[in-house]
Amino acid sequence: MKSAKINAEIKEYCKILRLNGIEAHFEDAEQEASDYEDYLHRLLTSEFRNAEERAKQNRIRAAKFPYKRYLEDLELDCLPEGMRKRLPALATLDFVRNGQNLILTGNPGTGKTHTAIGLGIKACEQGYKVLYTTVPYLVTELKECTNAKKLKSYERRF
Protein backbone atom coordinates (compact mmCIF):
# COMPACT_ATOMS: atom_id res chain seq x y z
CA MET A 1 0.00 0.00 0.00
CA LYS A 2 1.37 3.40 -0.94
CA SER A 3 1.87 6.06 1.65
CA ALA A 4 -0.28 9.18 1.71
CA LYS A 5 2.76 11.23 0.65
CA ILE A 6 3.32 9.11 -2.47
CA ASN A 7 -0.39 9.29 -3.37
CA ALA A 8 -0.28 13.07 -3.02
CA GLU A 9 2.78 13.23 -5.29
CA ILE A 10 1.09 11.02 -7.88
CA LYS A 11 -1.96 13.28 -7.84
CA GLU A 12 0.26 16.36 -8.20
CA TYR A 13 2.18 14.85 -11.12
CA CYS A 14 -1.10 13.90 -12.78
CA LYS A 15 -2.34 17.49 -12.43
CA ILE A 16 0.88 18.89 -13.90
CA LEU A 17 0.82 16.40 -16.78
CA ARG A 18 -2.96 16.80 -17.20
CA LEU A 19 -3.63 13.09 -16.71
CA ASN A 20 -7.08 13.59 -15.21
CA GLY A 21 -8.28 10.05 -15.88
CA ILE A 22 -5.30 8.51 -14.11
CA GLU A 23 -5.54 11.00 -11.26
CA ALA A 24 -9.17 10.11 -10.65
CA HIS A 25 -8.75 6.33 -10.85
CA PHE A 26 -5.23 5.28 -9.88
CA GLU A 27 -6.17 4.24 -6.35
CA ASP A 28 -9.22 2.23 -7.47
CA ALA A 29 -7.29 0.63 -10.32
CA GLU A 30 -4.57 -0.49 -7.92
CA GLN A 31 -7.09 -2.28 -5.71
CA GLU A 32 -8.92 -3.90 -8.63
CA ALA A 33 -5.87 -4.92 -10.69
CA SER A 34 -4.56 -8.47 -10.62
CA ASP A 35 -1.02 -7.62 -11.75
CA TYR A 36 1.09 -4.71 -13.06
CA GLU A 37 -0.04 -5.09 -16.66
CA ASP A 38 -3.68 -5.07 -15.60
CA TYR A 39 -3.02 -2.02 -13.41
CA LEU A 40 -1.35 -0.15 -16.28
CA HIS A 41 -4.12 -1.19 -18.65
CA ARG A 42 -6.79 0.11 -16.26
CA LEU A 43 -4.94 3.42 -15.82
CA LEU A 44 -4.44 3.95 -19.54
CA THR A 45 -8.04 2.97 -20.29
CA SER A 46 -9.37 5.53 -17.81
CA GLU A 47 -7.06 8.21 -19.23
CA PHE A 48 -8.11 7.36 -22.79
CA ARG A 49 -11.82 7.57 -21.91
CA ASN A 50 -11.24 10.86 -20.13
CA ALA A 51 -9.38 12.27 -23.15
CA GLU A 52 -12.16 11.13 -25.50
CA GLU A 53 -14.79 12.84 -23.33
CA ARG A 54 -12.75 16.06 -23.18
CA ALA A 55 -12.31 16.02 -26.95
CA LYS A 56 -16.06 15.54 -27.43
CA GLN A 57 -16.85 18.43 -25.09
CA ASN A 58 -14.26 20.61 -26.87
CA ARG A 59 -15.85 19.83 -30.26
CA ILE A 60 -19.30 20.74 -28.90
CA ARG A 61 -17.95 23.99 -27.45
CA ALA A 62 -16.07 24.86 -30.67
CA ALA A 63 -19.24 24.29 -32.74
CA LYS A 64 -20.73 27.41 -31.13
CA PHE A 65 -24.23 26.05 -30.69
CA PRO A 66 -26.55 28.70 -29.21
CA TYR A 67 -27.77 26.08 -26.72
CA LYS A 68 -27.70 22.30 -26.31
CA ARG A 69 -30.56 20.33 -27.79
CA TYR A 70 -30.45 16.60 -28.43
CA LEU A 71 -32.30 14.56 -31.05
CA GLU A 72 -33.76 12.43 -28.28
CA ASP A 73 -35.49 15.53 -26.87
CA LEU A 74 -37.36 16.30 -30.10
CA GLU A 75 -41.12 16.01 -29.85
CA LEU A 76 -41.74 13.94 -32.94
CA ASP A 77 -45.48 14.69 -32.90
CA CYS A 78 -44.75 18.39 -33.44
CA LEU A 79 -42.45 17.88 -36.43
CA PRO A 80 -43.75 18.16 -39.98
CA GLU A 81 -44.50 14.77 -41.53
CA GLY A 82 -41.60 15.00 -44.00
CA MET A 83 -39.08 15.63 -41.22
CA ARG A 84 -40.54 12.83 -39.12
CA LYS A 85 -39.97 10.40 -41.98
CA ARG A 86 -36.44 11.62 -42.75
CA LEU A 87 -35.16 11.96 -39.17
CA PRO A 88 -34.14 8.30 -38.67
CA ALA A 89 -32.04 8.42 -41.85
CA LEU A 90 -30.53 11.79 -40.87
CA ALA A 91 -29.69 10.48 -37.38
CA THR A 92 -27.34 7.90 -38.93
CA LEU A 93 -25.20 10.85 -40.14
CA ASP A 94 -24.67 9.12 -43.48
CA PHE A 95 -25.10 12.50 -45.17
CA VAL A 96 -21.99 13.70 -43.32
CA ARG A 97 -19.95 10.64 -44.28
CA ASN A 98 -21.08 11.08 -47.91
CA GLY A 99 -20.16 14.77 -47.95
CA GLN A 100 -23.73 15.86 -48.60
CA ASN A 101 -25.21 19.16 -47.52
CA LEU A 102 -28.35 19.46 -45.46
CA ILE A 103 -30.60 22.50 -45.67
CA LEU A 104 -33.54 22.73 -43.30
CA THR A 105 -36.34 25.03 -44.38
CA GLY A 106 -39.82 25.64 -43.07
CA ASN A 107 -42.04 27.85 -41.01
CA PRO A 108 -40.97 29.14 -37.59
CA GLY A 109 -41.45 26.67 -34.75
CA THR A 110 -41.25 23.51 -36.84
CA GLY A 111 -38.08 22.14 -35.19
CA LYS A 112 -35.42 23.17 -37.70
CA THR A 113 -33.01 24.67 -35.17
CA HIS A 114 -33.53 21.88 -32.64
CA THR A 115 -32.95 19.28 -35.36
CA ALA A 116 -29.82 21.04 -36.66
CA ILE A 117 -28.33 21.36 -33.18
CA GLY A 118 -29.25 17.76 -32.31
CA LEU A 119 -27.59 16.47 -35.48
CA GLY A 120 -24.56 18.69 -34.81
CA ILE A 121 -24.14 17.43 -31.27
CA LYS A 122 -24.50 13.83 -32.45
CA ALA A 123 -21.81 14.49 -35.06
CA CYS A 124 -19.53 15.99 -32.37
CA GLU A 125 -20.08 12.89 -30.23
CA GLN A 126 -19.03 10.71 -33.17
CA GLY A 127 -15.80 12.64 -33.69
CA TYR A 128 -16.76 15.15 -36.39
CA LYS A 129 -15.89 18.84 -36.15
CA VAL A 130 -18.98 21.01 -36.47
CA LEU A 131 -19.60 24.72 -36.90
CA TYR A 132 -23.10 25.99 -36.19
CA THR A 133 -24.03 29.19 -37.99
CA THR A 134 -26.99 30.92 -39.52
CA VAL A 135 -27.22 32.40 -43.01
CA PRO A 136 -27.43 36.03 -41.76
CA TYR A 137 -24.39 35.54 -39.54
CA LEU A 138 -22.47 33.79 -42.32
CA VAL A 139 -23.21 36.61 -44.80
CA THR A 140 -22.09 39.21 -42.25
CA GLU A 141 -18.88 37.31 -41.55
CA LEU A 142 -18.09 37.00 -45.25
CA LYS A 143 -18.75 40.70 -45.83
CA GLU A 144 -16.39 41.55 -42.98
CA CYS A 145 -13.53 39.52 -44.46
CA THR A 146 -11.52 42.55 -45.57
CA ASN A 147 -8.66 40.75 -47.24
CA ALA A 148 -7.92 37.48 -49.03
CA LYS A 149 -5.90 36.07 -46.13
CA LYS A 150 -8.79 36.49 -43.69
CA LEU A 151 -11.24 35.06 -46.22
CA LYS A 152 -8.96 32.05 -46.82
CA SER A 153 -8.73 31.47 -43.05
CA TYR A 154 -12.51 31.61 -42.74
CA GLU A 155 -12.85 29.28 -45.71
CA ARG A 156 -10.57 26.69 -44.06
CA ARG A 157 -12.93 26.55 -41.07
CA PHE A 158 -15.51 25.03 -43.38
Short mmCIF file of all heavy atoms in Angstrom, two decimals, residues 3 5 13 22 57 67 73 84 86 88-89 97 119 127 136 146 157:
data_model
loop_
_atom_site.label_atom_id
_atom_site.label_comp_id
_atom_site.label_asym_id
_atom_site.label_seq_id
_atom_site.Cartn_x
_atom_site.Cartn_y
_atom_site.Cartn_z
N SER A 3 2.06 5.10 0.57
CA SER A 3 1.87 6.06 1.65
C SER A 3 1.07 7.24 1.14
O SER A 3 0.93 7.46 -0.07
CB SER A 3 3.23 6.54 2.17
OG SER A 3 3.84 7.38 1.20
N LYS A 5 1.86 10.28 1.32
CA LYS A 5 2.76 11.23 0.65
C LYS A 5 2.95 10.85 -0.83
O LYS A 5 2.91 11.72 -1.70
CB LYS A 5 4.12 11.26 1.36
CG LYS A 5 5.08 12.24 0.75
CD LYS A 5 6.41 12.25 1.46
CE LYS A 5 7.34 13.23 0.75
NZ LYS A 5 8.68 13.17 1.26
N TYR A 13 1.59 15.10 -9.80
CA TYR A 13 2.18 14.85 -11.12
C TYR A 13 1.09 14.73 -12.19
O TYR A 13 1.23 15.22 -13.30
CB TYR A 13 3.04 13.59 -11.12
CG TYR A 13 4.30 13.68 -10.28
CD1 TYR A 13 4.81 12.57 -9.65
CD2 TYR A 13 4.98 14.89 -10.13
CE1 TYR A 13 5.97 12.64 -8.88
CE2 TYR A 13 6.13 14.96 -9.37
CZ TYR A 13 6.62 13.85 -8.75
OH TYR A 13 7.76 13.92 -7.99
N ILE A 22 -6.16 9.28 -15.02
CA ILE A 22 -5.30 8.51 -14.11
C ILE A 22 -5.42 9.06 -12.70
O ILE A 22 -5.55 8.29 -11.74
CB ILE A 22 -3.83 8.53 -14.60
CG1 ILE A 22 -3.71 7.73 -15.90
CG2 ILE A 22 -2.89 7.97 -13.52
CD1 ILE A 22 -2.34 7.74 -16.53
N GLN A 57 -16.35 17.16 -25.66
CA GLN A 57 -16.85 18.43 -25.09
C GLN A 57 -16.21 19.63 -25.78
O GLN A 57 -16.87 20.65 -26.00
CB GLN A 57 -16.59 18.48 -23.57
CG GLN A 57 -17.41 17.48 -22.79
CD GLN A 57 -18.90 17.59 -23.02
OE1 GLN A 57 -19.45 18.67 -23.13
NE2 GLN A 57 -19.57 16.45 -23.13
N TYR A 67 -27.37 26.82 -27.91
CA TYR A 67 -27.77 26.08 -26.72
C TYR A 67 -27.70 24.60 -27.07
O TYR A 67 -27.57 24.24 -28.23
CB TYR A 67 -29.18 26.47 -26.24
CG TYR A 67 -30.18 26.61 -27.35
CD1 TYR A 67 -30.84 25.50 -27.88
CD2 TYR A 67 -30.47 27.86 -27.90
CE1 TYR A 67 -31.75 25.63 -28.91
CE2 TYR A 67 -31.39 27.99 -28.93
CZ TYR A 67 -32.03 26.87 -29.43
OH TYR A 67 -32.92 26.99 -30.45
N ASP A 73 -34.56 14.61 -27.51
CA ASP A 73 -35.49 15.53 -26.87
C ASP A 73 -36.54 16.08 -27.83
O ASP A 73 -37.45 16.79 -27.41
CB ASP A 73 -34.74 16.70 -26.23
CG ASP A 73 -33.76 16.25 -25.16
OD1 ASP A 73 -34.00 15.18 -24.56
OD2 ASP A 73 -32.76 16.95 -24.93
N ARG A 84 -40.35 14.03 -39.92
CA ARG A 84 -40.54 12.83 -39.12
C ARG A 84 -40.08 11.58 -39.88
O ARG A 84 -39.45 10.70 -39.30
CB ARG A 84 -42.02 12.67 -38.75
CG ARG A 84 -42.25 12.54 -37.27
CD ARG A 84 -43.70 12.41 -36.91
NE ARG A 84 -44.40 13.66 -37.22
CZ ARG A 84 -45.63 13.74 -37.69
NH1 ARG A 84 -46.34 12.66 -37.89
NH2 ARG A 84 -46.19 14.89 -37.94
N ARG A 86 -37.87 11.55 -42.40
CA ARG A 86 -36.44 11.62 -42.75
C ARG A 86 -35.51 11.56 -41.53
O ARG A 86 -34.32 11.27 -41.68
CB ARG A 86 -36.15 12.91 -43.52
CG ARG A 86 -36.73 12.90 -44.91
CD ARG A 86 -36.35 14.17 -45.66
NE ARG A 86 -36.99 14.20 -46.95
CZ ARG A 86 -38.13 14.83 -47.21
NH1 ARG A 86 -38.76 15.49 -46.24
NH2 ARG A 86 -38.65 14.82 -48.42
N PRO A 88 -34.96 9.49 -38.94
CA PRO A 88 -34.14 8.30 -38.67
C PRO A 88 -32.95 8.17 -39.61
O PRO A 88 -31.85 7.80 -39.19
CB PRO A 88 -35.13 7.14 -38.85
CG PRO A 88 -36.47 7.74 -38.58
CD PRO A 88 -36.38 9.15 -39.10
N ALA A 89 -33.15 8.50 -40.88
CA ALA A 89 -32.04 8.42 -41.85
C ALA A 89 -31.01 9.51 -41.55
O ALA A 89 -29.80 9.26 -41.64
CB ALA A 89 -32.57 8.57 -43.28
N ARG A 97 -20.96 11.55 -43.73
CA ARG A 97 -19.95 10.64 -44.28
C ARG A 97 -19.88 10.72 -45.81
O ARG A 97 -18.82 10.56 -46.39
CB ARG A 97 -20.23 9.20 -43.85
CG ARG A 97 -19.84 8.91 -42.42
CD ARG A 97 -20.06 7.45 -42.06
NE ARG A 97 -21.42 7.14 -41.64
CZ ARG A 97 -21.94 7.48 -40.47
NH1 ARG A 97 -21.22 8.15 -39.60
NH2 ARG A 97 -23.17 7.16 -40.16
N LEU A 119 -28.46 17.17 -34.53
CA LEU A 119 -27.59 16.47 -35.48
C LEU A 119 -26.14 16.89 -35.29
O LEU A 119 -25.22 16.07 -35.36
CB LEU A 119 -28.04 16.74 -36.92
CG LEU A 119 -29.35 16.08 -37.34
CD1 LEU A 119 -29.81 16.63 -38.70
CD2 LEU A 119 -29.21 14.57 -37.39
N GLY A 127 -17.15 12.26 -33.30
CA GLY A 127 -15.80 12.64 -33.69
C GLY A 127 -15.69 13.66 -34.81
O GLY A 127 -14.58 14.00 -35.21
N PRO A 136 -27.75 34.61 -41.98
CA PRO A 136 -27.43 36.03 -41.76
C PRO A 136 -26.05 36.24 -41.13
O PRO A 136 -25.31 37.13 -41.54
CB PRO A 136 -28.54 36.52 -40.82
CG PRO A 136 -29.66 35.57 -41.03
CD PRO A 136 -29.04 34.25 -41.36
N THR A 146 -12.04 41.39 -44.84
CA THR A 146 -11.52 42.55 -45.57
C THR A 146 -10.38 42.21 -46.52
O THR A 146 -10.08 43.00 -47.40
CB THR A 146 -11.05 43.63 -44.57
OG1 THR A 146 -10.10 43.02 -43.69
CG2 THR A 146 -12.23 44.19 -43.80
N ARG A 157 -12.10 27.02 -42.18
CA ARG A 157 -12.93 26.55 -41.07
C ARG A 157 -14.06 25.66 -41.56
O ARG A 157 -14.58 24.85 -40.82
CB ARG A 157 -13.51 27.75 -40.31
CG ARG A 157 -12.47 28.47 -39.48
CD ARG A 157 -13.02 29.71 -38.85
NE ARG A 157 -14.11 29.42 -37.94
CZ ARG A 157 -14.90 30.36 -37.45
NH1 ARG A 157 -14.71 31.63 -37.77
NH2 ARG A 157 -15.89 30.05 -36.64
#
